[in-house]
Amino acid sequence: MSMHPRYPASGPPEDPFRGGGTPLPREANPTWMGQVQPGNYRSAPGHQGHPVDAFVPPGVQGSAVRAGRVRSGSLVALTIGGSALAFLSLFLVVPFLLSNIGAAGFLIGFLASLIPLSVVLLTVHVIDKWEPEPKRLLFFAFTWGAAVSIAVTLLIQPFFVLGFQFSDEADLQTFMATVQAPIVEEFAKSLGLLLLLLLARRHFDGPVDGVVFAFTIAGGFAFTENILYFGRAIAESADPAGDFAQVFFLRGVMSPFAHAIFTGTTGLVMGFAARRGGTGVAVAAFVLGLLPAMFLHNRWNSMGQGFLVDYILVQVPIFFLAVAGIILLRVAEKRLTRQRLLEYSAAGWFTPAEVELLATFGGRRTALRWAGSYGRKRQMKEFTKAATQLANTRQRILSGRDVQLHQAEERQQLQRILALRAAVAR
């Protein structure tokens, strides 16, 4: 550091970026997540104190620029296309809601639905804290769930029912709740996941990302569905206050995460597939991931007279199992990030002290406090985010898929790491 502000008598705050030595050797597969085959493993590119351009193979840098443009174009197309679809879907969804529950029911249902939605989105924020996804992708996921998937459901379900003949209204309602809803709704929601995996693969790095996107889509779907259920309790009941309270307790208190858990299983499967292969694997994971989502949805909608018993003995354990699974995913994600950064550290890009700061929440808090004391908190956040993205790029390289493309991206990211470090340590 060339210049520092004045410090109290106790001395300047500790500089967490001073460090040295060589990190201890680490195994390539520190967790069950992101396992690397021996034939795909390769050392990180060496730094050796020279500019990154010194070892960029001829022609690779140009391909990296072109790849970046293609991926950026896909992201823009996804954002614009998704927004257009969501806007068009509102012309079907909003009239459907208004015709069923009226303006007063719509307004009350909308406001009440914001409460369970806030709980789900807050959970998404906590899960996504390690490597935050771009806001426009989360916006796409939410609007897909809240508008497009609802429109797809409304368009498909009449054709789905046409193939079956029911003479009894009760049988029809049971069929729609236990067969049609799980199949059509999970298909409609998960189409958004498939688009994200195909068009925004750079930001769909693994199972945690899959869960984040799935929860956001499902939160949007449940939001619109809750408007209908809450509004119907107001519009169609002889005791609006009592029925609304009952429906809100059931959907807003007892089961705000029901749709999130259903679709989250699809996101989990597709997240693992994101590290394995291309379009064919993505589509296969989409189909495979629908099965547990549909099954869980069916089990939820099949609860009848013994609802409370099933809820306590089945649904509550499933919820806690989902919580435990997410915690395990987060721990594994951090360990994998640390291992990949240690490999860059061995190649000279980071000091061991930097890796410890960047690969733990405690270390990141320390780094942000230190940087904040010099007015460089924003630069430190960017540095931390860039390092995490770099670790994910290395994981994609070690998966053996599109290696040259990802190596070109890696070199661009390493150049950015140098620039960000200079901004933090100026």
Side-chain angles (χ1 to χ4, degrees), residues 157-189:
Q157 63 183 9
F159 298 99
F160 195 92
V161 176
L162 280 178
F164 302 87
Q165 299 295 325
F166 295 93
S167 57
D168 187 273
E169 179 68 20
D171 290 341
L172 174 62
Q173 293 301 321
T174 299
F175 172 82
M176 292 182 66
T178 60
V179 180
Q180 175 261 316
I183 293 176
V184 176
E185 291 178 10
E186 293 310 320
F187 173 79
K189 286 183 287 181

Side-chain angles (χ1 to χ4, degrees), residues 94 103 114 136 147 229 366 418:
V94 174
L114 291 173
R136 54 182 167 173
Y229 279 91
T366 299
L418 292 179

Side-chain angles (χ1 to χ4, degrees), residues 79-386:
T79 304
I80 296 175
S83 299
L85 278 174
F87 179 74
L88 292 174
S89 297
L90 292 178
F91 287 96
L92 175 62
V93 175
V94 174
F96 169 79
L97 292 174
L98 290 175
S99 66
N100 276 270
I101 60 179
F106 178 86
L107 179 60
I108 295 173
F110 179 90
L111 294 175
S113 297
L114 291 173
I115 298 174
L117 173 65
S118 299
V119 174
V120 174
L121 294 185
L122 179 61
T123 303
V124 169
H125 174 71
V126 172
I127 299 172
D128 196 36
K129 207 169 183 180
W130 183 254
E131 186 212 354
E133 303 305 325
K135 288 183 173 57
R136 54 182 167 173
L137 289 185
L138 293 175
F139 175 76
F140 168 86
F142 175 77
T143 55
W144 182 276
V148 181
S149 63
I150 296 289
V152 172
T153 298
L154 293 175
L155 290 171
I156 293 179
Q157 63 183 9
F159 298 99
F160 195 92
V161 176
L162 280 178
F164 302 87
Q165 299 295 325
F166 295 93
S167 57
D168 187 273
E169 179 68 20
D171 290 341
L172 174 62
Q173 293 301 321
T174 299
F175 172 82
M176 292 182 66
T178 60
V179 180
Q180 175 261 316
I183 293 176
V184 176
E185 291 178 10
E186 293 310 320
F187 173 79
K189 286 183 287 181
S190 297
L191 272 179
L193 280 173
L194 182 60
L195 287 175
L196 284 166
L197 182 53
L198 293 177
L199 299 179
R201 192 143 195 166
R202 180 182 181 186
H203 302 284
F204 206 135
D205 290 311
V208 175
D209 292 345
V211 170
V212 165
F213 289 132
F215 271 39
T216 306
I217 291 173
F221 186 94
F223 170 70
T224 303
E225 192 179 56
N226 282 337
I227 294 175
L228 176 64
Y229 279 91
F230 295 160
R232 188 176 286 166
I234 298 294
E236 299 180 356
S237 173
D239 180 19
D243 285 353
F244 171 78
Q246 182 178 0
V247 174
F248 183 85
F249 182 76
L250 174 64
R251 297 185 63 87
V253 177
M254 295 182 68
S255 58
F257 293 101
H259 275 287
I261 291 175
F262 305 155
T263 313
T265 59
T266 308
L268 182 68
V269 174
M270 295 180 71
F272 280 111
R275 291 180 168 171
R276 294 294 178 183
T279 302
V281 173
V283 173
F286 166 74
V287 174
L288 180 63
L290 283 174
L291 299 179
M294 292 174 178
F295 174 76
L296 291 174
H297 200 151
N298 167 271
R299 289 296 84 208
W300 176 268
N301 286 2
S302 296
M303 291 190 295
Q305 296 296 324
F307 171 81
L308 188 59
V309 174
D310 286 342
Y311 179 82
I312 294 174
L313 297 181
V314 179
Q315 301 302 329
V316 171
I318 288 176
F319 171 77
F320 283 109
L321 182 63
V323 172
I326 289 171
I327 292 173
L328 288 175
L329 288 174
R330 285 278 302 274
V331 170
E333 184 182 41
K334 286 188 290 184
R335 288 179 178 174
L336 195 62
T337 299
R338 182 175 184 274
Q339 171 59 29
R340 299 300 170 241
L341 292 182
L342 281 173
E343 291 160 10
Y344 285 112
S345 174
W349 294 99
F350 299 97
T351 68
E354 285 176 328
V355 173
E356 296 307 316
L357 286 172
L358 296 168
T360 64
F361 278 118
R364 291 183 176 188
R365 284 193 293 269
T366 299
L368 288 173
R369 282 198 302 269
W370 171 83
S373 67
Y374 297 117
R376 302 168 199 161
K377 190 172 184 178
R378 179 182 60 81
Q379 292 90 333
M380 179 63 76
K381 284 184 177 180
E382 292 179 359
F383 182 70
T384 301
K385 183 178 179 180

